[in-house]
Amino acid sequence: MQKNNDFSMDRGENLPLVTVIIRSTDRPTLSEALDSVAQQAYPNIEVLVVNAKGEGHAELGEWCGHFPLRVVNTGSMLRRSLAANIGLSNAAGDYLIFLDDDDWFMPEHIAMLMDALMRNPDKKVAYSCVTGVNEQKEPCGSHFCQPFDRTLLLAGNYLPIHSALFSRSIVDAGCRMDESVDLYEDWDFWLQAAAFGDFIFVAHFSAYYRIGGPYGQGVRPDAAVAQQASADLFEKWRKAWKREDLLDIMAHVREHKAQLNAAIAERDAAIAARDAAVAERDAVVAERDAAVAGRDAHIAALYNTTSWRITQPLRVVSHQLKRGRRAAELIGPAIRRGGGVRSTLNKAMHLYRHEGLTGIRHGFRIVALSQQISPAWGSGGFDRNDYAEWIRRYDTLTDDTRATMNASIAEFAHQPLISVVMPTYNPKPEWLIEAIESVRKQIYPHWELCIADDASTDKAIRSVLERYASEDLRIKVVFREINGHISEASNSALELASGEWAALLDHDDLLSEHALFWVVDAINQNPDAHLIYSDEDKVDEVGKRFDPYFKCDWNADLFYSQNMISHLGVYRTDLLNSIGGFRKGMEGSQDYDLALRCIERIQPKQIHHIPRVLYHWRKHAESAAQSINAKPYALLAGERALNEHFQRQGINATASPLDFGMYRVRYALPDSLPMVSLIIPTRNGLQLIRQCVESIRKKTTYLNYEILIVDNGSDDPATLRYFDELQADARTKIKVVRDDRPFNYSALNNAAVKLAQGEIVGLLNNDLEVISPDWLSEMVSYALQADVGSVGAKLWYPDNTLQHGGVILGVGGVASHAHKHLLRHQYGYFGRANLMQSFSAVTAACLVIRKAIYEEVGGFNETNLQIAFNDVDFCLRVRKAGYRNVWTPHAQLFHHESATRGYEDTPEKRARFARETQYMKQRWGNLLLNDPAYSPNLTLDFEDFSLAWPPRTQKGLTVSRPGRESAAQSMEVS
């Protein structure tokens, strides 16, 4: 992606003037359209609003942000075409762009289009991609992203009117709206403009088109009206059609039909798979129903026995005695809950008078439930993700822990001032107050709160901020005169900061009470740290905490997939100043862009993660915590931030958005593809090895590879004949190497790697089957990165549940696979099952690595780890040597796990497995319980990223103090 001109550095007088023409019928959405203009990064804009409503239009003033605004009034209602032409006649700009009063731009829209036109001075029109949204501003499935094709434009309009910036010269040359056309008038306008040359297509989404209800009638008009309008336009432009145009359109139609048929076939296959899954589920349900029916029949038979009837009086007496004892046990808690003996008796009498004994029983039931604590272990109905209970046990401060923290602060060798940086713009006053109070309640006292109000129009905000600034000298406030959006407001707040560190806080979010305490504790323990981030959760509109994100330690690949730093992010202030603070034009992902520019200046070891929830992100309708759809422009800003980061770093990679609001990074392959040696150990199993080899040969798009089949003692005649056929085929690069030693997976691979001719080796199980044709291209592109070691793939069971999504250390004792048995449509824990990221290890069932690194670390351990955990041990040694082990979800294969070698199902195999397990625990020790790619707040008992009971951060809260051999003092939370 070519880097845009930095228009934000120019004051505007040297740049062409752009006129934004808005035809307004005074709809409520006009303010949103104007706000999007006010936030444009391009600095030289005038706004021209044509009053198409007539009388009664709202007053708009003379400014749109810091851009001048003019209103053209004729006193009459205007048709769409006439209103557009009035705008064209009154525009002063060198370049013009339309914007309807129900649509909006992203901040970089005009700058991006102007950049394209300035780079191509012979072109007159530039346009970008547009996302269709519904009345609630949610994507509705309509996207406008068609590269320019003059023939297709004759057949139909694919340019929303606000997608294109055009030169005034085409207007001066006679290009105008046809006032006899009042639907598809923009289509007619673009056909006129196409006479001046091809349009520049900028392949980035940078505007939104509201469709549905009263909006976007050009996309979904009345069918009869649309048919007539199309017929009128076809008749007008019929003379411009050529025979070649008709042939091109027919070809496009055939291509579209083929694509549609393929999509239908794919959909039908998905439906068939889903139906099979439903049938399987129904069979399980039926089996369970039968079991329940059998149990019920057994119970009914028991009730009808003579012994049951004879012992009924004894059971009644026993039951009443138990009820009496339980009631007696609850009297004490009931009195305490009721506020004393007298108060409790009064409440009981009130219940009895109004509800009788039923009311008394209900009251005791409430007391009984209040005494219950959900088990932290077990099965049945226990919810392993009961976050409210987890908070109660492990994240609730007591007076004792506060006192211990306060005592510990005095022992910190370094007590820096922390500047909490907060931009504000029209938050709910009550949420703003809560945010400020969350800072004032910090246990760590050395802080200042730096607030920049970005010209809020709600007068209550100014009064709240002025009151706090007058009450607490630690609170600094600056009131900006002109709204500049969040980047400029954040920079204004940052200018107030005098602290050594700066913590970022949004105006409606909350810091935990001990947030800055743990930050300063981390600073003392990591004096070379420059960037610190914590775990986070969300808080709803009434203050309930939920949806915690327990993050891993610094993970560059995951960070390129999502902004894992996010909240709470704390930076050395001099680092932020050295990069120039926040960048205008990155609104929505300004903090992502900030972090990307920071990591360019520091080392990975200077990034520190605090595995505690220190930040509560407010979830409401207009917050990105609610949905990425709340701020869709943020996704494109993040894409731009990533790609510009790669350009600055000289990394030949591109990032693009995924459909769930995160990113995929693609590293470019070199022009000359390196040889890859694919090593497949096997014994017999003709069907599996044939399926594996043939799927590689038929589906793999990466062409420069050889296959080394390691035959570990096959004696099946059909398998041996197949091996002979493979080697006899001159068209294939397949060798079969006979190795009759007793099965030792490590030794077989080590021996084969020595024979490999490739610069890169790929270790494959014989029970794999290729799904994605570019699987090897994807894995090789990562393996070629200088600091990458092993690369793993996404492996699926044949039933379309996940088999391998990376390896987590410690799960089940040594290691296990992340997100095992996840369904295909699920994204996993915060998207991690669908995101490129680093893991401590990946499975050798499908592992790609440079041969030099394989040899550098000594290959697999064929002495102590003949079968189990050899890949985990190998990856940990690769990691120890300074390389990252990465996993990509974009290289996908089926894995028919252990189909030929079976499971640990004999005494000999179990004994060998126990020895290998013990070796791993002795060799890697504490690392198995502290996987840096996982969280100590997540379980080691399951592969599903559920909560840990208790967390492994320490028991309760622990403060580390410098200068002590045993650097912890336990502080119980509950």
Side-chain angles (χ1 to χ4, degrees):
M1 187 178 86
Q2 201 170 26
K3 187 175 180 179
N4 290 344
N5 288 324
D6 190 0
F7 294 124
S8 63
M9 301 300 292
D10 196 304
R11 296 176 57 189
E13 58 265 25
N14 298 320
L15 297 172
L17 177 65
V18 173
T19 300
V20 179
I21 302 171
I22 302 177
R23 303 173 291 185
S24 172
T25 56
D26 202 18
R27 289 190 279 190
T29 51
L30 174 61
S31 62
E32 294 177 1
L34 289 170
D35 283 346
S36 77
V37 178
Q39 294 165 10
Q40 289 301 293
Y42 188 79
N44 197 17
I45 293 174
E46 71 156 0
V47 184
L48 186 68
V49 178
V50 179
N51 177 5
K53 179 181 180 180
E55 296 182 359
H57 195 288
E59 294 292 329
L60 296 179
E62 298 180 354
W63 294 93
C64 176
H66 55 280
F67 299 130
L69 183 149
R70 291 188 288 135
V71 179
V72 179
N73 287 302
T74 65
S76 304
M77 291 182 61
L78 303 175
R79 298 179 68 190
R80 291 165 55 87
S81 300
L82 177 57
N85 283 338
I86 290 173
L88 293 173
S89 298
N90 284 273
D94 305 293
Y95 289 86
L96 315 176
I97 188 169
F98 286 105
L99 176 63
D100 283 347
D101 60 1
D102 55 345
D103 301 326
W104 72 96
F105 300 145
M106 291 184 188
E108 72 279 10
H109 184 59
I110 292 177
M112 185 174 65
L113 296 177
M114 179 58 76
D115 178 65
L117 287 168
M118 292 180 72
R119 292 177 185 276
N120 299 273
D122 58 321
K123 301 297 183 183
K124 306 299 182 183
V125 182
Y127 71 101
S128 65
C129 302
V130 175
T131 297
V133 297
N134 60 20
E135 295 176 70
Q136 290 75 40
K137 300 167 63 174
E138 300 167 337
C140 61
S142 296
H143 299 291
F144 303 86
C145 201
Q146 169 65 47
F148 185 74
D149 186 313
R150 187 186 305 271
T151 304
L152 282 183
L153 189 61
L154 284 168
N157 186 23
Y158 47 81
L159 280 76
I161 195 167
H162 58 304
S163 68
L165 179 69
F166 53 92
S167 169
R168 182 181 189 83
S169 62
I170 68 170
V171 178
D172 295 340
C175 190
R176 312 275 290 186
M177 296 285 182
D178 186 339
E179 294 179 16
S180 68
V181 177
D182 213 41
L183 179 65
Y184 302 148
E185 76 283 357
D186 51 346
W187 181 12
D188 178 76
F189 184 80
W190 301 135
L191 288 170
Q192 296 177 54
F196 296 91
D198 289 354
F199 299 174
I200 303 170
F201 171 59
V202 181
H204 287 274
F205 286 91
S206 58
Y208 287 88
Y209 187 9
R210 206 181 308 247
I211 301 170
Y215 307 113
Q217 292 302 309
V219 176
R220 296 176 182 171
D222 177 82
V225 173
Q227 185 176 6
Q228 184 58 51
S230 298
D232 292 344
L233 272 182
F234 281 130
E235 181 62 27
K236 176 180 178 179
W237 288 95
R238 181 168 53 84
K239 296 179 181 178
W241 287 62
K242 301 176 182 177
R243 181 175 180 275
E244 293 79 8
D245 296 331
L246 290 172
L247 293 174
D248 283 347
I249 289 177
M250 291 172 65
H252 280 301
V253 169
R254 287 194 296 270
E255 181 182 358
H256 180 70
K257 183 178 179 181
Q259 292 173 348
L260 185 62
N261 289 335
I264 292 172
E266 184 176 351
R267 182 205 61 190
D268 290 345
I271 291 173
R274 192 173 304 156
D275 288 345
V278 170
E280 183 178 351
R281 182 203 62 192
D282 289 345
V284 172
V285 170
E287 183 179 346
R288 291 179 180 174
D289 287 346
V292 170
R295 183 200 63 187
D296 290 345
H298 180 73
I299 292 172
L302 179 63
Y303 284 162
N304 289 325
T305 63
T306 303
S307 60
W308 183 267
R309 291 195 297 270
I310 290 173
T311 58
Q312 181 178 7
L314 293 175
R315 289 197 306 277
V316 170
V317 171
S318 175
H319 180 65
Q320 294 302 325
L321 286 173
K322 288 179 181 178
R323 291 181 62 184
R325 283 197 301 270
R326 181 59 179 149
E329 291 170 357
L330 292 175
I331 288 174
I335 290 173
R336 288 193 295 273
R337 185 181 178 91
V341 176
R342 179 175 296 179
S343 175
T344 303
L345 287 174
N346 288 337
K347 292 177 181 177
M349 291 302 296
H350 178 81
L351 278 172
Y352 181 76
R353 283 196 299 269
H354 289 84
E355 301 179 37
L357 288 174
T358 301
I360 297 294
R361 284 194 294 268
H362 179 69
F364 269 109
R365 190 176 300 115
I366 292 174
V367 175
L369 289 173
S370 72
Q371 301 302 301
Q372 294 178 5
I373 299 176
S374 299
W377 182 255
S379 56
F382 172 65
D383 181 3
R384 298 198 304 273
N385 287 311
D386 185 351
Y387 187 47
E389 175 62 17
W390 193 94
I391 291 171
R392 189 191 71 78
R393 294 190 186 200
Y394 310 122
D395 198 24
T396 300
L397 297 184
T398 66
D399 290 342
D400 288 342
T401 53
R402 292 185 183 94
T404 306
M405 286 181 173
N406 280 312
S408 300
I409 290 170
E411 298 188 23
F412 284 146
H414 185 41
Q415 300 181 29
L417 178 66
I418 308 293
S419 299
V420 181
V421 175
M422 179 197 290
T424 66
Y425 179 72
N426 286 341
K428 283 190 175 183
E430 58 270 30
W431 290 348
L432 175 61
I433 291 170
E434 288 183 31
I436 294 173
E437 287 296 331
S438 77
V439 179
R440 297 186 75 197
K441 292 176 181 177
Q442 287 299 299
I443 292 172
Y444 181 77
H446 308 306
W447 56 264
E448 63 179 4
L449 177 56
C450 305
I451 304 175
D453 181 69
D454 198 22
S456 291
T457 56
D458 184 348
K459 296 179 180 179
I461 302 305
R462 189 180 190 98
S463 62
V464 168
L465 296 179
E466 288 177 338
R467 175 170 63 84
Y468 273 108
S470 64
E471 291 178 357
D472 194 328
L473 296 179
R474 297 174 296 178
I475 300 177
K476 305 175 181 180
V477 181
V478 61
F479 293 97
R480 293 171 51 83
E481 294 182 0
I482 299 176
N483 178 273
H485 210 33
I486 191 168
S487 293
E488 290 194 357
S490 297
N491 284 336
S492 295
L494 189 58
E495 290 173 2
L496 300 175
S498 59
E500 182 182 338
W501 289 79
L504 308 184
L505 175 64
D506 286 347
H507 60 193
D508 48 7
D509 296 341
L510 304 171
L511 294 182
S512 70
E513 185 181 352
H514 51 357
L516 299 186
F517 171 85
W518 286 116
V519 168
V520 176
D521 179 67
I523 291 169
N524 276 270
Q525 297 307 311
N526 303 272
D528 194 36
H530 281 60
L531 192 166
I532 296 172
Y533 66 100
S534 76
D535 297 344
E536 62 188 272
D537 63 13
K538 297 185 179 69
V539 60
D540 65 15
E541 299 187 15
V542 295
K544 179 183 176 183
R545 291 172 56 184
F546 65 104
D547 199 18
Y549 185 9
F550 291 119
K551 306 172 187 176
C552 60
D553 289 346
W554 175 242
N555 189 322
D557 298 290
L558 182 58
F559 180 63
Y560 287 159
S561 300
Q562 59 170 219
N563 182 8
M564 59 176 285
I565 291 175
S566 192
H567 308 306
L568 173 67
V570 187
Y571 301 78
R572 286 189 64 95
T573 307
D574 56 3
L575 174 62
L576 295 184
N577 291 333
S578 72
I579 65 168
F582 296 86
R583 279 206 298 168
K584 185 176 179 180
M586 289 297 181
E587 287 75 13
S589 286
Q590 72 285 341
D591 53 347
Y592 200 3
D593 174 69
L594 185 85
L596 283 162
R597 289 184 290 125
C598 282
I599 67 172
E600 296 168 8
R601 303 283 184 102
I602 61 179
Q603 299 298 317
K605 65 182 181 180
Q606 294 176 304
I607 304 172
H608 181 74
H609 168 227
I610 301 174
R612 299 180 186 276
V613 175
L614 304 185
Y615 193 101
H616 313 303
W617 192 7
R618 181 82 66 176
K619 181 177 180 180
H620 55 85
E622 297 179 2
S623 165
Q626 171 75 23
S627 167
I628 188 62
N629 296 330
K631 296 180 179 179
Y633 58 88
L635 189 62
L636 294 181
E639 176 190 12
R640 178 184 164 196
L642 282 164
N643 285 319
E644 292 186 5
H645 164 76
F646 294 141
Q647 289 174 359
R648 290 190 299 269
Q649 295 299 101
I651 300 172
N652 193 1
T654 56
S656 56
L658 296 168
D659 60 3
F660 55 99
M662 297 179 193
Y663 301 94
R664 176 183 179 181
V665 175
R666 291 178 172 88
Y667 289 89
L669 287 166
D671 293 336
S672 178
L673 298 179
M675 164 77 81
V676 180
S677 297
L678 301 177
I679 297 170
I680 312 174
T682 189
R683 184 179 187 276
N684 295 326
L686 173 60
Q687 181 178 352
L688 286 172
I689 187 63
R690 175 184 282 156
Q691 177 178 258
C692 178
V693 170
E694 295 308 312
S695 72
I696 294 171
R697 294 173 63 186
K698 293 178 180 179
K699 295 184 179 180
T700 303
T701 54
Y702 189 99
L703 299 179
N704 192 16
Y705 67 85
E706 65 170 356
I707 297 177
L708 297 180
I709 297 175
V710 182
D711 179 13
N712 186 215
S714 294
D715 53 13
D716 172 51
T719 302
L720 296 173
R721 280 196 302 273
Y722 176 65
F723 291 161
D724 291 339
E725 291 168 5
L726 288 176
Q727 295 192 94
D729 189 343
R731 297 170 300 172
T732 66
K733 294 181 180 180
I734 300 178
K735 300 177 184 177
V736 179
V737 179
R738 185 78 176 188
D739 191 331
D740 288 332
R741 78 181 78 197
F743 180 65
N744 180 327
Y745 183 81
S746 297
L748 292 173
N749 280 290
N750 287 344
V753 168
K754 293 177 181 178
L755 301 175
Q757 297 180 9
E759 175 187 339
I760 294 173
V761 293
L763 309 183
L764 305 181
N765 275 22
N766 66 343
D767 50 2
L768 293 177
E769 180 184 357
V770 173
I771 298 174
S772 50
D774 62 345
W775 70 280
L776 191 53
S777 300
E778 172 77 5
M779 298 181 78
V780 170
S781 72
Y782 276 89
L784 289 175
Q785 303 308 305
D787 52 356
V788 169
S790 302
V791 181
K794 191 173 191 177
L795 305 181
W796 295 95
Y797 286 117
D799 66 355
N800 283 312
T801 61
L802 189 62
Q803 189 267 337
H804 175 251
V807 171
I808 301 173
L809 303 180
V811 174
V814 175
S816 191
H817 293 176
H819 293 112
K820 196 171 184 179
H821 297 300
L822 192 77
L823 300 178
R824 264 194 183 269
H825 67 276
Q826 295 174 320
Y827 296 122
Y829 187 71
F830 285 85
R832 287 190 62 175
N834 274 25
L835 297 177
M836 165 63 70
Q837 62 204 274
S838 299
F839 277 98
S840 294
V842 294
T843 181
C846 183
L847 184 153
V848 169
I849 189 170
R850 278 173 279 158
K851 181 178 179 179
I853 299 176
Y854 190 99
E855 294 173 336
E856 177 187 344
V857 301
F860 282 11
N861 184 338
E862 55 189 74
T863 302
N864 305 107
L865 300 170
Q866 297 181 5
I867 298 177
F869 304 126
N870 39 47
D871 47 2
V872 178
D873 172 77
F874 173 78
C875 286
L876 293 181
R877 286 185 282 117
V878 169
R879 180 177 176 273
K880 189 175 181 180
Y883 302 99
R884 306 193 321 268
N885 298 312
V886 302
W887 173 82
T888 171
H890 308 298
Q892 300 191 42
L893 304 91
F894 284 120
H895 186 198
H896 308 267
E897 188 181 29
S898 300
T900 55
R901 289 293 173 180
Y903 297 93
E904 316 293 354
D905 53 2
T906 68
E908 294 77 15
K909 289 182 179 181
R910 285 193 289 268
R912 188 261 311 149
F913 182 78
R915 289 194 302 272
E916 292 172 334
T917 298
Q918 187 61 28
Y919 173 83
M920 288 295 292
K921 291 181 177 180
Q922 291 175 350
R923 173 69 176 82
W924 297 106
N926 198 47
L927 180 60
L928 298 183
L929 300 178
N930 297 278
D931 188 341
Y934 196 50
S935 169
N937 296 299
L938 299 176
T939 183
L940 293 181
D941 299 307
F942 303 92
E943 297 101 337
D944 60 1
F945 288 73
S946 52
L947 298 176
W949 301 79
R952 298 176 300 286
T953 45
Q954 288 99 24
K955 184 178 182 182
L957 297 175
T958 300
V959 181
S960 299
R961 301 178 182 173
R964 297 192 178 186
E965 191 69 29
S966 177
Q969 176 178 342
S970 179
M971 294 188 294
E972 295 297 333
V973 174
S974 54

